[in-house]
Amino acid sequence: MNKAEQAWRELASIDELVTQESPLHRMHPAGKLFLAVLFLMLTVSFPKYDFTGLFFYILFPVVGYQVAGIPMRSCFRKLRMLLPFLCAVGIWNPLLDRTILMKIGSVELSGGVISMITLMGKGILCLLASFLLAATTSVGDICYVLRKIHCPKLLVTLFLLTYRYLTVFLREVAVMTESYHLRAPGQKGIHPRAWGSFLGQLLLRTIDRGQALYESMLLRGYDGEFPIAKAEQTGRGELSVVIIVAVLLLVSRVCPVTELLGSIFVG
């Protein structure tokens, strides 16, 4: 299995997670999208030295993954290529900011180390929240909500087609790579002399498959709008859950919940 086919299978496995049954899967997509966006906005709004404030925020994705019945390790396994970039964020901060701001026992933590940990924590939390939304909500449902809040039809359609064409692109790369290796057994990678023809054929094949995909969408009645299989109205129970979670997110962002809990247990 080449890398392109592996990436295609990883993307397809995320679509399989959407078909599972759980309270979070059955929740209206508008509530899930609202909570995800609110969580991301509040997470990135923490000051660069406030890494203790992120501790309480870990609770929200942990509970979300438990309710959805999705192992949290699946997020790190499927998005493992992004983890090095998250860990590299702020890696130079310890060299630029050497002011000692905290001391734990005999270990002194500079402002650069604290800001680096905070940035990494923000990135991991945002990654967990984004993957949870993608694993419990289909692209069609997300587009449905975007149209309901009057996002431009062109942008929503572009978002949908980009996601759909990405799978087509990866599949074509996998097929062409496999065909090339069958014609050149034992060769590692693609020879530089074949890069031009390979990319040209890939472009033509992807355009043809993409056009066929778009025509299939039109034959099924696609007109830029996105029907939804779930009920149009959000139940009172779901609305209450959304309000409670949103209030908890806002309160935990404004109030130093972690410090208060620490003072209670320590005191």
Side-chain angles (χ1 to χ4, degrees), residues 3 18-19 25 43 72 80 96 99 102 122 135 137 145 159 162-163 203 215 222 229 237 240:
K3 293 183 178 179
V18 178
T19 61
H25 284 81
T43 300
M72 189 175 293
R80 58 189 177 275
L96 301 176
T99 304
M102 184 179 298
K122 289 180 181 181
T137 313
V145 177
F159 168 71
T162 300
Y163 180 83
L203 177 62
E215 291 175 356
Y222 174 75
S240 301

Side-chain angles (χ1 to χ4, degrees), residues 10-243:
E10 291 285 351
L11 191 61
S13 64
I14 297 178
D15 292 334
E16 294 178 359
L17 293 176
V18 178
T19 61
Q20 294 182 2
E21 285 292 329
S22 74
L24 193 58
H25 284 81
R26 293 189 295 269
M27 187 177 178
H28 198 279
K32 290 185 285 187
L33 183 61
F34 169 74
L35 291 178
V37 173
L38 180 63
F39 182 85
L40 294 178
M41 292 176 60
L42 294 178
T43 300
V44 299
S45 68
F46 276 92
K48 63 180 181 178
Y49 297 136
D50 190 11
F51 74 96
T52 57
L54 295 174
F55 289 160
F56 188 75
Y57 264 49
I58 300 175
L59 179 65
F60 294 96
V62 170
V63 173
Y65 277 89
Q66 291 296 321
V67 173
I70 300 175
M72 189 175 293
R73 63 178 180 273
S74 63
C75 171
F76 298 107
R77 185 176 68 253
K78 295 181 183 301
L79 303 180
R80 58 189 177 275
M81 298 299 296
L82 298 177
L83 293 179
F85 296 98
L86 293 178
C87 295
V89 173
I91 196 173
W92 299 109
N93 288 12
L95 300 178
L96 301 176
D97 186 358
R98 301 184 180 181
T99 304
I100 303 300
L101 298 181
M102 184 179 298
K103 188 174 182 180
I104 303 177
S106 60
V107 179
E108 296 181 342
L109 298 179
S110 64
V113 173
I114 296 176
S115 62
M116 180 185 67
I117 296 174
T118 304
L119 288 174
M120 291 180 181
K122 289 180 181 181
I124 293 175
L125 287 177
C126 291
L127 182 68
L128 288 172
S130 301
F131 182 81
L132 182 61
L133 176 64
T136 57
T137 313
S138 65
V139 177
D141 289 350
I142 294 177
C143 293
Y144 164 83
V145 177
L146 293 178
R147 285 297 299 145
K148 279 298 182 180
I149 61 177
H150 302 290
C151 286
K153 183 184 296 186
L154 178 62
L155 295 180
V156 177
T157 303
L158 182 62
F159 168 71
L160 174 66
L161 295 182
T162 300
Y163 180 83
R164 297 301 184 193
Y165 286 174
L166 180 61
T167 58
V168 175
F169 174 77
L170 291 176
R171 185 57 178 167
E172 291 299 325
V173 172
V175 172
M176 291 183 61
T177 303
E178 185 69 21
S179 301
Y180 179 86
H181 288 312
L182 289 175
R183 292 181 175 89
Q187 181 176 321
K188 295 183 178 180
I190 299 175
H191 197 278
R193 290 182 296 181
W195 287 356
S197 60
F198 186 89
L199 292 177
Q201 289 294 326
L202 175 62
L203 177 62
L204 295 176
R205 289 169 62 93
T206 305
I207 291 176
D208 291 339
R209 290 294 304 275
Q211 184 64 31
L213 176 62
Y214 182 66
E215 291 175 356
S216 300
M217 293 169 59
L218 294 179
L219 291 174
R220 289 177 172 85
Y222 174 75
D223 59 353
E225 300 298 335
F226 302 88
I228 188 172
K230 298 182 177 64
E232 180 72 19
Q233 298 294 331
T234 303
R236 291 184 178 180
E238 290 187 3
L239 185 59
S240 301
V241 171
V242 171
I243 294 176

